[in-house]
């Protein structure tokens, strides 16, 4: 049992060292690429990718899940940002973006009310739908990032968060 734990630890150490070597941004190249994952509001989980040239970077993120009728979510967001301190361990990306989020979830209380009255008075599910243009700030520290999204204008809004969206995650830069 102890041997398998030691082997796992050695493999984990090799993987972390490999990621750190290849994820270290090169000072010589003007191009940079990013890939990672984030969690946040209103899309619970998203894959993130970025491509940048010098101080300008284009981020794209999105994902979705379907668990059955009236039980799914999806979210997509893109942004064009300007990076400050990009060759330092701490950097900021400030820019403009846009996104679309949609989610439906069963509402057991509404379903029970409809069943008790033998009619459909209320939708048997809750849903959120937003389509927005927003100002965004990304703060990076050694690959970890936070993203604050302030919607400037909603083109479509149903149960949208009142002020800001947020995300946290990890990006590998190469």
């Amino acid at each position: 049992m102890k041997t398998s734990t030691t082997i796992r630890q050695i493999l984990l150490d090799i993987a972390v060292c490999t990621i750190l070597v290849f994820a270290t941004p090169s000072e010589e190249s003007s191009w940079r690429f990013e890939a990672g994952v984030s969690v946040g509001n209103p899309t619970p989980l998203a894959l993130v990718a970025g491509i940048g040239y010098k101080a300008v970077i284009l981020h794209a993120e999105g994902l979705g899940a379907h668990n059955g009728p009236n039980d799914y979510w999806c979210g997509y967001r893109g942004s064009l940002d300007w990076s400050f301190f990009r060759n330092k361990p701490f950097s900021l990306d400030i820019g403009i973006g846009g996104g679309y989020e949609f989610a439906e979830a069963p509402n057991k209380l509404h379903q029970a009310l409809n069943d008790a009255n033998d009619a459909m008075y209320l939708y048997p599910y809750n849903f959120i739908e937003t389509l927005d243009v927003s100002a965004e700030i990304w703060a990076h520290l050694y690959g970890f990032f936070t993203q604050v999204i302030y919607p400037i204008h909603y083109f479509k809004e149903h149960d949208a968060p009142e002020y800001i969206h947020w995300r946290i995650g990890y990006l590998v830069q190469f």
Side-chain angles (χ1 to χ4, degrees), residues 5 14 17 37 39 60 70 80 101 103 109 114 117-118 135-136 143 173-174:
T5 305
I14 291 171
C17 289
V37 64
V39 296
N70 301 326
L80 183 61
E101 285 89 18
L109 181 64
N114 290 342
N117 290 305
D118 201 25
E136 298 187 3
Q173 189 176 70
F174 45 96

Side-chain angles (χ1 to χ4, degrees), residues 38-118:
S38 68
V39 296
N41 168 21
T43 304
L45 179 67
L47 299 176
V48 185
I51 181 170
Y53 182 73
K54 294 191 179 183
V56 176
I57 188 159
L58 176 66
H59 286 111
E61 55 190 319
L63 197 61
H66 185 272
N67 299 320
N70 301 326
D71 192 3
Y72 56 92
W73 58 266
C74 68
Y76 307 99
R77 181 164 289 284
S79 62
L80 183 61
D81 304 310
W82 187 267
S83 297
F84 297 92
F85 318 114
R86 75 178 183 98
N87 291 326
K88 307 289 184 209
F90 175 78
S91 65
L92 288 173
D93 298 340
I94 298 173
I96 190 159
Y100 176 76
E101 285 89 18
F102 185 84
E104 283 189 4
N107 186 322
K108 299 295 183 187
L109 181 64
H110 289 185
Q111 292 172 0
L113 184 68
N114 290 342
D115 291 343
N117 290 305
D118 201 25

